[in-house]
Amino acid sequence: MSTEFNPIQENDDEELFEHHRFVVAKGQALLRIDKYLMLQIANATRNKIQQAASNGDIYVNDVPVKSNYKVKPLDVVTIMLSHPPFENRVDPENIPLDIVYEDDALLLINKPPGLVVHPGHGNYTGTLVNALAYHFESLPMNSSNRPGLVHRIDKDTSGLLVIAKTESALSHLAKQFENKTSEREYVALVWGNVKDDFGTIEGNLARHLKDRMQMAVFADPEIGKPAITHYKVLERFGYVTLVSCILETGRTHQIRAHMKHLGHPLFNDERYGGHLILKGTTFTKYKQFIENCFKILPRQALHAKTLGFVHPVTGEMMRFDTELPEDMQQVIEKWRNYSKSHTPEEEEE
């Protein structure tokens, strides 16, 4: 299955391909386009963006602009290059899928940890999209030219994804996610003893100013996109806590960034510092216990457990639930046993 590109013509000699497209938010204050794009694109440096502008590759409302251009609300910013983006090429690959439910309009997949959802920087093959291209013909393309995808979860996050099989189903489901009417619950193991039994984390998310691979919470309402996470404590183990997180919005790394902002990074989340021993004792046995947990669960402890939405054809409310994957279950059981025989108060005396 190959993706068709929609090049625009700059002149008769060269056709350009869209690599990035952003619509500036309504509340965005005037901001230099190089700074704006640094907040939007992972791995982007200011030098690279300024070079792209010098080359005439950055367009606002289909007109090339320089790096000192200041974006305004509802500007359409595109980066156009003379070659098609690698991630828009989708080669079918025979990768097995764990299909939880399927009918003529959609299917539910329980994604294993380690499987990238769609091709992108550094991962052009071996993704869920490559698998979908092999197992299904003519899936509808979403706005990013990715077949069937309504939403996504991170590579090392496991759990439920809904895939649309028709154009109408894709449109219907996408609106539910956009309008925040879909139901999404994740289960996470986080560092520390979460103070409150339940709460809500609110804060705009945008690219971290220093680490472009992280998202961060910004108090300024004009930076980033609004994000809301509701959490509830499921079980306490002293140095770590098992929590349920219900998404009201669905931003990149939302739970990972919000829990770190709360002071409780996800257990073994290397991107956000959770791969270090953040709570506990200096005892060698404790250090060995944590390292054993990390070996069993070599990823962030996050699972998309439940998913609910209105069926785009029948109008029926559908809810799906999955068991926690084996790696998370094993580590939770280890912490459960550890917490029964070790209390933080005893070890700190």
Side-chain angles (χ1 to χ4, degrees):
M1 176 191 209
S2 61
T3 301
E4 289 186 7
F5 301 104
N6 297 309
I8 65 170
Q9 296 286 340
E10 186 183 44
N11 53 51
D12 292 336
D13 299 321
E14 182 181 34
E15 61 180 22
L16 298 179
F17 298 88
E18 182 178 296
H19 282 237
H20 296 280
R21 171 181 290 261
F22 305 101
V23 178
V24 180
K26 288 182 180 178
Q28 175 68 55
L30 291 177
L31 184 67
R32 279 178 59 113
I33 196 163
D34 51 359
K35 291 185 177 179
Y36 173 79
L37 288 173
M38 280 183 67
L39 292 170
Q40 303 297 323
I41 305 173
N43 299 320
T45 65
R46 197 164 182 180
N47 283 342
K48 282 185 180 179
I49 291 170
Q50 289 176 342
Q51 185 61 51
S54 297
N55 294 341
D57 296 331
I58 299 178
Y59 291 72
V60 174
N61 306 323
D62 295 330
V63 177
V65 297
K66 297 303 180 185
S67 55
N68 62 354
Y69 175 86
K70 292 188 176 178
V71 298
K72 302 184 295 296
L74 303 182
D75 272 351
V76 178
V77 180
T78 52
I79 297 181
M80 311 295 297
L81 301 174
S82 58
H83 62 85
F86 290 113
E87 56 264 38
N88 278 357
R89 175 177 170 175
V90 179
D91 294 322
E93 294 181 56
N94 187 7
I95 300 168
L97 295 174
D98 180 4
I99 298 176
V100 176
Y101 171 86
E102 182 180 3
D103 60 27
D104 291 339
L106 55 87
L107 64 141
L108 265 289
I109 289 172
N110 188 13
K111 187 188 85 67
L115 180 64
V116 176
V117 171
H118 58 72
H121 180 72
N123 294 287
Y124 299 117
T125 60
T127 74
L128 174 62
V129 163
N130 295 104
L132 291 172
Y134 179 88
H135 293 284
F136 300 94
E137 293 183 5
S138 64
L139 288 177
M141 289 291 178
N142 68 12
S143 59
S144 301
N145 275 331
R146 287 160 182 158
L149 290 190
V150 178
H151 60 128
R152 60 177 292 277
I153 55 180
D154 296 330
K155 171 188 173 183
D156 289 326
T157 300
S158 54
L160 289 172
L161 281 169
V162 60
I163 308 296
K165 295 172 71 175
T166 67
E167 292 283 356
S168 60
L170 181 63
S171 175
H172 195 286
L173 290 165
K175 285 180 182 175
Q176 292 185 57
F177 278 79
E178 183 181 348
N179 295 333
K180 309 181 186 69
T181 58
S182 61
E183 298 176 4
R184 285 169 287 173
E185 180 200 12
Y186 289 68
V187 170
L189 187 68
V190 303
W191 278 107
N193 189 13
V194 177
K195 180 182 177 182
D196 299 318
D197 288 340
F198 54 85
T200 297
I201 309 166
E202 296 187 58
N204 279 24
L205 290 179
R207 293 280 170 195
H208 195 288
L209 295 177
K210 293 182 179 178
D211 184 348
R212 314 302 300 156
M213 299 301 289
Q214 278 193 37
M215 303 299 286
V217 176
F218 289 84
D220 187 341
E222 294 181 348
I223 297 178
K225 296 178 180 179
I228 302 173
T229 304
H230 306 285
Y231 69 88
K232 178 177 68 174
V233 170
L234 299 176
E235 200 167 350
R236 298 179 185 276
F237 304 122
Y239 298 131
V240 295
T241 307
L242 190 66
V243 295
S244 161
C245 294
I246 294 178
L247 297 184
E248 190 167 317
T249 55
R251 308 301 183 198
T252 300
H253 293 188
Q254 178 170 321
I255 292 172
R256 300 167 70 185
H258 266 176
M259 292 310 295
K260 179 177 181 178
H261 180 69
L262 192 65
H264 301 282
L266 268 60
F267 188 76
N268 208 13
D269 187 350
E270 183 173 3
R271 177 75 62 217
Y272 288 85
H275 64 306
L276 304 173
I277 299 178
L278 300 180
K279 297 290 180 181
T281 74
T282 57
F283 298 158
T284 302
K285 283 186 178 180
Y286 178 75
K287 183 180 178 183
Q288 187 60 55
F289 168 76
I290 298 298
E291 288 177 353
N292 289 341
C293 288
F294 285 169
K295 285 178 183 176
I296 295 170
L297 184 78
R299 64 180 182 102
Q300 69 260 13
L302 184 62
H303 178 69
K305 191 174 190 302
T306 64
L307 184 60
F309 53 85
V310 174
H311 193 283
V313 176
T314 67
E316 177 189 359
M317 185 65 198
M318 306 186 77
R319 290 183 180 87
F320 298 89
D321 184 79
T322 55
E323 294 291 328
L324 292 180
E326 186 65 24
D327 56 359
M328 279 187 69
Q329 287 192 42
Q330 285 187 37
V331 167
I332 289 167
E333 190 59 31
K334 282 179 74 69
W335 271 108
R336 192 173 283 134
N337 292 331
Y338 185 91
S339 65
K340 288 176 183 175
S341 56
H342 303 77
T343 65
E345 292 78 10
E346 288 174 355
E347 294 185 343
E348 286 168 4
E349 286 178 356

